[in-house]
Every structure is written in structure tokens, then in C-alpha cells.
Amino acid sequence: MTRSHFALLILIACVAALPLFGGAYALRLGTIACMYAVLALSWNIVGGFAGYPSFATAAFFGFGAYCTGVLMGKGFPMALALVIAGVLALTAAGLLGAILLRLRGHYFAIASLSLAEVLRELVNNATDLTGGGMGLNIPLASGAGVMAEATYYFYTMWGVMLLTALMVIAVANSKLGFALNCIRQNETASSMVGLNTTLAKAAAFGLSACFVAVAGGIYAAWVHYIDPSDVFDILYSVKPIVMALMGGLGSPLGVACGAFLYLGLEEVVWRNYTHIHTGVLGVLIVLLLLFLPHGLTSLRADRLWRRTKHV
């Protein structure tokens, strides 16, 4: 385990202390921050380690949200519903990955992007099961007060973030991580020397989808109501990519920091520029990527000064 991995775990441990210093608003932001970190870290398995531009995050986020919502509506406890959603996402993504990941570059990007639209249409047409376009009401997981419920969902999402970080660290230090790195460098050469690239990519795709689906399930239970346009929003596919680029592609610590930074920018810009917040946020992101093309992990005074002069 490298120093950056230890730093990532320390950062996550510090986030756990948020309920001691903040109220309901801070807990809401903390829950969203943990969710963003789960999405970004999960995407980093496929996009950062293997170098495949995946846009399937929204598909599995919505898949997990609806699986959890439907199961909880049928009387399943939240924990069991989350486990089932994660296992189903892992299995489905592994099977799909074995097919879709035979494509490369923009072909794979377009194919992965279409997954969210396919699932959205399936949910819209399965009215008896999912409520269709009218959305799905999800029963309360507990009858506790506002602060108790906010704390509960914060720590639930924080726990998933911790598990996701441990998974990413384990993959980075395993044979799978080595295989994904080889695929990123030269997939053709990796296949020629005997590496089973299809199996490695499918495993990475499945692991990525599993934790995203669990995060989607927690989100659904947290907000108590979901609809296709919300949980299958394309922004859930775009945001993790931006977070990873802002933090440092391939670096788990950088990706987590990028998720927290993105949320901070998003919240500050939204509060101060309500009508044009998306445009202002886009300009800020472009400037960050322009001056820090390798993310926060490359943030050193001498390098930053050289890049500024070059630009």
C-alpha cells in the first residue's frame, strides 16, 4: 500500500467526524460528497486504471436505485435490498462488460452511454413494477427524527465510500490492477503475451457497477421518491469523469479529492449564481483542467508556474 492510499484512508476517516461539527445541512452535503466519491472512485476502475471512457455510471446508479426501491416496497429490509442490488449490478455489468468492452475508444463510449437510455425506457414501460414515468415512492427505512435519519444515511453512504476505497486500493495492488494497467498502455500487446484482457475488463466493469448501484440504492432510500429522469440523469455519467480529471486520473486519492472539490464548487456556485450556475461552474472546471491537466495530484508550485507561463 502506497502513501497516497494511506492518505486516502485518513481523509475518509476525517470525513466520518462531520456529524460532530455540523447540522442537518452539513450532513446533507456530506452524504452527497460521499456519494460523489463512490461514483468517481468506481469510475476510476474502468476509466482510470484501464483507460476506457465509460459513460455507464448513470445506468447502474439508476439500476441500483430502482432495484432497492422496488425491493423495499415489497417489504425487504434496506440492507438486504442494497446487497441484492449490488450483486445484480455486479453480475449484469460483468456479462455486459464481456460484450461491450470488446469495443474501444468512442465506440465503447457511445455503447456505454446508451445503457442508461435503454434502462430508462424499460423502467418507463414497466408501470406495474416501477411506477413508470409517475415515479416510485419508497417507504421510510426508520421512523427516527430528522437529525437521526440524516446521520443514519450519512454514515451508510460513508460506509459504502470506505468499502469502495478499499476495493480500489485492493485492485490497484492486485494482479487485476496490473492487468488493467497493461491494457491501458497497450491492449494488443497485452493480449499477445497471454493476458486475458476480456476477463480483466469485465471484472473491472462489474466491480465499478456494484458500488455505484449500492450508492444509487442508498440515494433512493434517502430521498424516498425516485423517477427515471432523476436517477438515470446523464450528469451521473459525466460528473464522475470531471471529478476524476480534476483530482488526477488513475489516482484514488486524487479522484476522491476531486469529488469533494467538485461538490464544493457546485454548492458555492449554485448559491451565488442561481440562474447561471451551470455556465459559471463549467467555466471554472475548464480553467481548472486548463491549468491542472493532470489534476490535483500534479499541484506543485514550480509545475503550476511553468504551466501558467506556457498557457
Side-chain angles (χ1 to χ4, degrees):
M1 187 180 293
T2 63
R3 287 183 297 178
S4 65
H5 292 160
F6 277 115
L8 173 61
L9 295 178
I10 292 172
L11 174 64
I12 292 174
C14 292
V15 173
L18 182 63
L20 301 177
F21 306 99
Y25 176 71
L27 286 175
R28 185 187 73 84
L29 288 183
T31 305
I32 297 175
C34 292
M35 184 182 78
Y36 279 1
V38 171
L39 301 185
L41 287 169
S42 298
W43 181 88
N44 194 52
I45 295 292
V46 177
F49 290 173
Y52 270 72
S54 174
F55 285 86
T57 305
F60 294 112
F61 184 85
F63 178 84
Y66 267 96
C67 278
T68 303
V70 169
L71 290 173
M72 289 182 66
K74 293 185 178 298
F76 282 70
M78 176 180 161
L80 180 58
L82 291 175
V83 171
I84 294 174
V87 172
L88 289 176
L90 174 66
T91 305
L95 295 175
L96 284 172
I99 301 172
L100 293 181
L101 286 162
R102 295 179 184 275
L103 303 172
R104 301 185 186 182
H106 55 280
Y107 297 105
F108 170 72
I110 295 172
S112 63
L113 183 63
S114 66
L115 283 178
E117 293 303 316
V118 171
L119 288 177
R120 188 205 299 263
E121 288 302 316
L122 290 175
V123 168
N124 274 323
N125 290 311
T127 307
D128 295 335
L129 183 64
T130 65
M134 297 297 293
L136 180 68
N137 290 307
I138 301 168
L140 297 174
S142 64
V146 175
M147 281 300 298
E149 184 178 7
T151 304
Y152 171 76
Y153 283 110
F154 168 76
Y155 277 119
T156 304
M157 194 71 80
W158 178 87
V160 176
M161 178 179 64
L162 176 61
L163 291 176
T164 307
L166 292 175
M167 179 271 293
V168 171
I169 292 172
V171 168
N173 295 320
S174 67
K175 292 182 178 179
L176 176 59
F178 176 77
L180 295 176
N181 184 54
C182 292
I183 290 170
R184 187 181 73 250
Q185 298 296 329
N186 193 321
E187 185 172 351
T188 303
S190 300
S191 300
M192 292 177 63
V193 298
L195 182 65
N196 191 337
T197 57
T198 302
L199 179 61
K201 291 185 295 184
F205 200 56
L207 288 173
S208 174
C210 175
F211 291 90
V212 168
V214 173
I218 297 172
Y219 172 81
W222 180 35
V223 299
H224 308 309
Y225 171 81
I226 55 174
D227 64 78
S229 62
D230 176 23
V231 294
F232 289 109
D233 191 347
I234 188 60
L235 288 178
Y236 286 122
S237 290
V238 175
K239 285 180 180 180
I241 301 175
V242 175
M243 296 170 196
L245 292 173
M246 289 174 65
L249 198 63
S251 167
L253 174 61
V255 168
C257 291
F260 297 152
L261 175 62
Y262 179 88
L263 175 63
L265 289 175
E266 186 179 55
E267 190 67 18
V268 170
V269 170
W270 184 86
R271 290 178 63 182
N272 293 281
Y273 305 96
T274 306
H275 299 291
I276 57 171
H277 69 278
T278 52
V280 175
L281 183 61
V283 171
L284 289 176
I285 291 171
V286 169
L287 290 175
L288 280 171
L289 296 179
L290 180 63
F291 288 100
L292 290 174
H294 299 290
L296 296 175
T297 54
S298 63
L299 186 58
R300 295 181 183 176
D302 55 341
R303 293 182 181 180
L304 184 60
W305 174 245
R306 286 199 299 268
R307 291 191 185 116
T308 303
K309 290 196 299 182
H310 176 71
V311 172

